[in-house]
Amino acid sequence: LLDVIASLTILLLLSPLLFVIAMAIKLDSSGPVLFSQIRVGRAGRLFRIYKFRSMSKDAEKGGKAVWAAANDARVTRVGAFIRNTRIDELPQIWNVLKGDMSIIGPRPLLVMYLPLYSEEQATRHNIRPGITGWAQVTGFRGETKQVSDMANRSAADIWYIESWTFLLDLKIIVLTVWQVAFKRDENAF
C-alpha cells in the first residue's frame, strides 16, 4: 500500500520533470525515450523494467546486455547527466505502481546473471526488487567488473532482507536522497 501511494504521489509531483527529461533525451539523440529490459523479480518472476534511455539507441546490438563502464562511448550527453543524478531510474516508479518492484529492495537482476548466484544469494528473490536498496547506498552500486562485485552486492542485499525494519527503509531513502544530491560520481554506472 505504501509503495502504491508513494509511486502515485511521485508520478504526480514529478510529471513535469519527467516530461522535460523525455524531451531532452529526444532532442539529444535518435531513438526511444525509454529503455526496457527483462529482469528477475520476486519468486523468480520475469518482468520488464523501464529506465530513461541514456545510451545510443543501438548500445546493446544483438540483445546482449553489456555493463556500462566509466567513460563509456555509448552514453549520450543527456545520458551522462541522468545517470550521474540517477534520474534515469525514475520510470521504475511505474514498475512500483504495477507491483513488479518496491521503492526499497535489492536491485533486480538481469536474467543472464541468475546462474552465477548461489542458493543463498538467490534468497534476494524472496522479496520484490527495489529502485534503491542497502547495497546501493553502502557502496555496491555501479560497474560489475568481477564475480566478487556481485557477491558483495548480494551479501548486502541478503543482510537487508534479514535485517529489514521500517526504520532501515527510511534510512535507505535518506541515504539515497543524500547521495543523489551531494555525492554525484560520474564513474558510477
Side-chain angles (χ1 to χ4, degrees):
L1 182 63
L2 286 175
D3 279 338
V4 171
I5 292 169
S7 59
L8 276 173
T9 304
I10 292 168
L11 280 173
L12 289 172
L13 292 175
L14 295 183
S15 58
L17 174 64
L18 298 174
F19 177 76
V20 168
I21 295 163
M23 292 306 298
I25 291 168
K26 204 65 178 157
L27 293 171
D28 184 49
S29 62
S30 65
V33 169
L34 294 177
F35 168 79
S36 70
Q37 229 173 19
I38 301 298
R39 297 284 180 105
V40 183
R42 184 177 185 183
R45 190 176 69 80
L46 302 181
F47 71 99
R48 186 168 294 280
I49 193 173
Y50 297 96
K51 293 183 174 192
F52 279 123
R53 183 177 55 82
S54 60
M55 293 189 174
S56 58
K57 74 176 182 180
D58 295 326
E60 292 186 347
K61 276 192 172 175
K64 280 187 119 181
V66 179
W67 281 95
N71 303 314
D72 196 317
R74 300 173 300 158
V75 177
T76 65
R77 289 175 301 178
V78 170
F81 173 77
I82 65 175
R83 280 173 170 264
N84 188 33
T85 57
R86 301 185 192 176
I87 291 172
D88 63 323
E89 309 284 353
L90 288 176
Q92 290 167 40
I93 296 165
W94 176 250
N95 289 109
V96 174
L97 188 60
K98 286 177 40 185
D100 295 328
M101 293 178 69
S102 185
I103 300 289
I104 310 294
R107 292 292 298 152
L109 292 178
L110 288 164
V111 176
M112 66 187 219
Y113 289 119
L114 276 179
L116 301 176
Y117 278 77
S118 70
E119 190 174 316
E120 179 191 20
Q121 291 169 326
T123 61
R124 66 196 316 282
H125 298 118
N126 291 344
I127 64 171
R128 281 191 185 107
I131 294 176
T132 187
W134 185 246
Q136 286 66 45
V137 299
T138 56
F140 299 112
R141 173 187 181 268
E143 184 179 355
T144 301
K145 296 178 184 172
Q146 50 197 354
V147 174
S148 65
D149 294 336
M150 294 169 76
N152 291 334
R153 190 175 300 156
S154 182
D157 289 336
I158 292 167
W159 181 89
Y160 166 78
I161 293 166
E162 293 172 349
S163 307
W164 180 87
T165 64
F166 182 70
L167 289 176
L168 179 58
D169 276 0
L170 290 178
K171 181 177 182 176
I172 292 169
I173 289 170
V174 168
L175 288 171
T176 299
V177 170
W178 174 264
Q179 288 180 0
V180 168
F182 300 109
K183 290 183 143 186
R184 295 189 182 128
D185 179 2
E186 290 181 24
N187 295 321
F189 294 117

